[in-house]
Amino acid sequence: MGPVPSLVPALKVFREISATSLSRARELVEELTRDGLVGTSSEMELLKARLQRRGLPVDVAR
């Protein structure tokens, strides 16, 4: 995922999925836009689906 016009949708996704703090959600979004995130196939597919529902372009690389 590259730069996004608004971080709000991505922040909401991370807060919904992991019930994390706003500051941690921001860190995760920054990591996602820089280097990407690492996780299981199921975790990444869930994250991808949630982000895409919010209109964010994202892809999962294996």
Side-chain angles (χ1 to χ4, degrees):
M1 183 168 128
V4 293
S6 172
L7 296 179
V8 174
L11 291 171
K12 286 181 178 180
V13 168
F14 279 105
R15 298 212 52 205
E16 290 168 0
I17 289 177
S18 60
T20 189
S21 69
L22 185 56
S23 61
R24 179 64 182 139
R26 182 178 290 277
E27 290 172 0
L28 290 167
V29 170
E30 289 174 7
E31 186 177 338
L32 178 64
T33 58
R34 267 194 331 265
D35 306 322
L37 294 173
V38 176
T40 66
S41 174
S42 298
E43 291 170 334
M44 295 299 104
E45 288 298 330
L46 173 65
L47 181 58
K48 174 185 172 183
R50 294 278 180 98
L51 290 168
Q52 286 179 335
R53 269 191 235 137
R54 299 247 183 202
L56 299 169
V58 64
D59 194 22
V60 174
R62 299 183 195 276

